[in-house]
C-alpha cells in the first residue's frame, strides 16, 4: 500500500483537504479524491492537454504534477468557472460557437485559454494559437475553438467598457 | 507499484538520497512522472531539493547562472535572456514550459533536449555533485551521474553571436526533426574567429559538430564561406529514427538547415 499524505489545496476558491497516495498525480487526486472530474485523463503523458489546470496562476498539466507538490497551492479548474449559475464568457463562447463536440478536450482548452486571457485580455489570433498549442482536439478542427477564445475576449472587453 | 516523494531542503541531502538505486530526481516532472505513469519500474522514489536558489536566474557581469529548477517559461520572460528565448520557447507547449526545467532538459533523451543544445553551443558549465564540469563532459557521462545538478553557467554572448533553430513539422509546437545552436565569434571584417555548433537529434543526446566548427574558422558567413561547414556537419552523427523522421531524412536535411541558420 502506498503511503497516504495529507493534501490541502484551495480548489476553485474553496479550502479543501484530503489524504492522497504519495507519488500520485494531481489529476488522480482531483478526480478521485476531490470529486472534480473536469480535468480529463487523455494520455497521462503530457501530450493531449485534457488535464490542464491552473496552479497558483500558472498553466500546468495535472497528469505530470505530483499531488503532494501542490500542498498549500491554489488550483483552478473548469468546474469552478461558472458563478451562481452564470457561465464564464469563455464557456458561453465555446457553447455558442460550437467549439465543443465530444467535449473531452474542452476543460483543458478553457483552462489554457483562461491563462492566456488573464495575461493578455485582447490576444491576436496567433497568440491564441500559441496558447492552445499544448491541447489536442480530435473533433472540431480547432477553428471554432480559436474563434470562441477570440469571441470571449471581445465579450470581456465589452463588459469592461 | 507504490511511489513516494522525498523532499530535502538542500541539494547535498537530495544528492545523498539519490544514491539509492530506486530513486530518481524530480525536476519539473514532465519526463519522470510520465515514465511513472507509463509503468517504469526502475524507480519507486522521487527525490527533490526545495532550496529556493535552484529557481534563481542570476546575471553577474557577463556570467549567467541558471538554477537547475529554472523553467523554460522563466527564461522566455527574462529581459536579459532574450537571445535564449527561442530555445526555451522551442520546448513543448505553454503548460510544459511552466514545468520543464533546465536541469531536466540536460537529461532529456533525443528528440528532446532542445534547450540543452543551446547550452552546449554556449559552452555552459554544469554544477553537479559539488563540482563544475564542462557541458560536453557532463553530457558524455550523464547516464552514470547519480548527483543533483544544481545550476548551469555561461557567458552572455556578444550581440548576434548566438543562433538557434529548431525544425519541426507541426507548428507552433512539435517534436524536433533536429535542432541547431551556434555560437560564432567574428573579427572586425566578418571572418569567423571561433565557432561552437551543437546539434540535437543527431545522436541520442546533444552533440558538437566539430568538423563543421573547424571548417568555419577564417571563413566569412557567405554561401561560399560556409560550404565547407555544410559539407562536414554530418561527420560523426548518428541521427535518431522516430515517428517524426528517419535517420536518413535527418541526415539529408541537416546541411540545409545549418546553411539557413548561418546565412540568417
Ligand atoms: C508533451 C511534451 C512535449 C515536450 N516537448 C519537448 C520539446 O519540444 N523539447 C524538449 O527539449 N523537450 C520536450 N519535452 C521533454 C521535457 O519536457 C523537457 O526536456 C524538460 O526540460 C525536462 O525537464 P523536467 O524538469 O520536466 O524533467 P524531469 O522529468 O523532472 O526529469 C527528467 C530527467 O532528468 C533528471 N533530472 C531532472 N532535474 C535534475 C537535476 N537537477 N539533477 C539531476 N537529475 C535531474 C530526472 O531524474 C529525470 O531522469 C516534452 C515533454 C512532453 C511531456
Ligand atoms: S492527460 Fe495530461 S496531457 Fe494528456
Ligand atoms: S471536442 Fe472532441 S476532442 Fe475536442
Amino acid at each position: 500500500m502506498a503511503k497516504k499524505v495529507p493534501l490541502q489545496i484551495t480548489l476553485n476558491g474553496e479550502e479543501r483537504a484530503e489524504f492522497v497516495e504519495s507519488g500520485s498525480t494531481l489529476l488522480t487526486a482531483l478526480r478521485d479524491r476531490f470529486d472534480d472530474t473536469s480535468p480529463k485523463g487523455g494520455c497521462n503523458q503530457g501530450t493531449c492537454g485534457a488535464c490542464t489546470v491552473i496552479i497558483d496562476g500558472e498553466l500546468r498539466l495535472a497528469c505530470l504534477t505530483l499531488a503532494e507538490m501542490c500542498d498549500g497551492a491554489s488550483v483552478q479548474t473548469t468546474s469552478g468557472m461558472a458563478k451562481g449559475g452564470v457561465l464564464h464568457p469563455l464557456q458561453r463562447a465555446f457553447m455558442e460557437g460550437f467549439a465543443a463536440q465530444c467535449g473531452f478536450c474542452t476543460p483543458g482548452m478553457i483552462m489554457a485559454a483562461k491563462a492566456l486571457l488573464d495575461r493578455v485580455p485582447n490576444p491576436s489570433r496567433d497568440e491564441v494559437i500559441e496558447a492552445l498549442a499544448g491541447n489536442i482536439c480530435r473533433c472540431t478542427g480547432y477553428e471554432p475553438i480559436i474563434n470562441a477564445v477570440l469571441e470571449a475576449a471581445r465579450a470581456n472587453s465589452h463588459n469592461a467598457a | 507499484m507504490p511511489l513516494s516523494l522525498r523532499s530535502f531542503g538542500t541539494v547535498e541531502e537530495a544528492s545523498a538520497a539519490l544514491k539509492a538505486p530506486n530513486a530518481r530526481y524530480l525536476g519539473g516532472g514532465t519526463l519522470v512522472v510520465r515514465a511513472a505513469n507509463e509503468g517504469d519500474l526502475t524507480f519507486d522514489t522521487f527525490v527533490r531539493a526545495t532550496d529556493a536558489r535552484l529557481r534563481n536566474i542570476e546575471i553577474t557581469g557577463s556570467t549567467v547562472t541558471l538554477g537547475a529548477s529554472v523553467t523554460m517559461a522563466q527564461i522566455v520572460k527574462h529581459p536579459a535572456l532574450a537571445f535564449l528565448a527561442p530555445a526555451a520557447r522551442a520546448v513543448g507547449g505553454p503548460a510544459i514550459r511552466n514545468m520543464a526545467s533546465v536541469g531536466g532538459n540536460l537529461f532529456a533523451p533525443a528528440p528532446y533536449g532542445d534547450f540543452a543544445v543551446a547550452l552546449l553551443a554556449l559552452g555552459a558549465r554544469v554544477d553537479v555533485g559539488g563540482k563544475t564540469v564542462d557541458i560536453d563532459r557532463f553530457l558524455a557521462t550523464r547516464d552514470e551521474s547519480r548527483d543533483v545538478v544544481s545550476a548551469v553557467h555561461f557567458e552572455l554572448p556578444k550581440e548576434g553571436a548566438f543562433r538557434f533553430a529548431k525544425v519541426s513539422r507541426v507548428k507552433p509546437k512539435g517534436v524536433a526533426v533536429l535542432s541547431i545552436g551556434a555560437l560564432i565569434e567574428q573579427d572586425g571584417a566578418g571572418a569567423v574567429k571561433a565557432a561552437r555548433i551543437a546539434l540535437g537529434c543527431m545522436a541520442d543526446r546533444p552533440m558538437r559538430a566539430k568538423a563543421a566548427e573547424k571548417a568555419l574558422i577564417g571563413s566569412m558567413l557567405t554561401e561560399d564561406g560556409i560550404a565547407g561547414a555544410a559539407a562536414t556537419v554530418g561527420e560523426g552523427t548518428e541521427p535518431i529514427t522516430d515517428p517524426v523522421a528517419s535517420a536518413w531524412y535527418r541526415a539529408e536535411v541537416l546541411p540545409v538547415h545549418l546553411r539557413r541558420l548561418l546565412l540568417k
Side-chain angles (χ1 to χ4, degrees), chain A residues 99-106 136-140 145:
Chain A
Q101 281 183 33
C102 79
F104 196 82
C105 70
T106 311
I136 291 175
C137 176
R138 303 308 302 263
C139 303
T140 64
I145 298 177

Side-chain angles (χ1 to χ4, degrees), chain B residues 9-148:
Chain B
T10 67
V11 166
E12 290 70 27
E13 290 166 286
S15 257
L18 205 52
K19 301 291 183 289
N22 58 342
R24 286 285 279 281
Y25 192 78
L26 175 69
T30 58
L31 289 172
V32 81
V33 177
R34 171 155 100 169
N37 288 348
E38 288 177 346
D40 187 331
L41 296 178
T42 60
F43 64 94
D44 61 17
T45 308
F46 293 111
V47 168
R48 71 170 179 147
T50 54
D51 186 336
R53 281 173 302 183
L54 293 172
R55 299 205 63 119
N56 282 357
I57 298 179
E58 263 174 58
I59 303 177
T60 323
S62 64
T63 306
V64 180
T65 299
L66 304 177
S69 306
V70 165
T71 62
M72 297 302 128
Q74 273 179 276
I75 294 161
V76 170
K77 274 187 254 168
H78 199 289
L81 299 179
F83 74 96
L84 253 190
R89 208 178 285 118
V91 175
I96 289 281
R97 287 196 288 277
N98 284 335
M99 305 170 72
S101 71
V102 170
N105 210 270
L106 285 173
F107 286 92
Y112 298 142
D114 296 313
F115 193 74
V117 168
L119 290 175
L120 179 59
L122 288 166
R125 286 152 287 134
V126 181
D127 288 350
V128 55
K131 290 202 261 318
T132 301
V133 299
D134 288 346
I135 186 168
D136 304 68
R137 185 72 197 283
F138 171 81
L139 288 170
T141 56
R142 70 179 185 186
D143 297 347
E144 292 81 54
S145 172
R146 300 216 53 88
D147 279 307
V148 178

Side-chain angles (χ1 to χ4, degrees), chain A residues 27 40-51 61 63:
Chain A
L27 181 61
K40 308 290 177 214
C43 65
N44 287 308
Q45 295 189 333
T47 31
C48 76
C51 66
L61 298 173
C63 75

Side-chain angles (χ1 to χ4, degrees), chain A residues 138-152:
Chain A
R138 303 308 302 263
C139 303
T140 64
Y142 300 100
E143 283 300 306
I145 298 177
I146 297 162
N147 291 337
V149 177
L150 290 167
E151 183 50 40

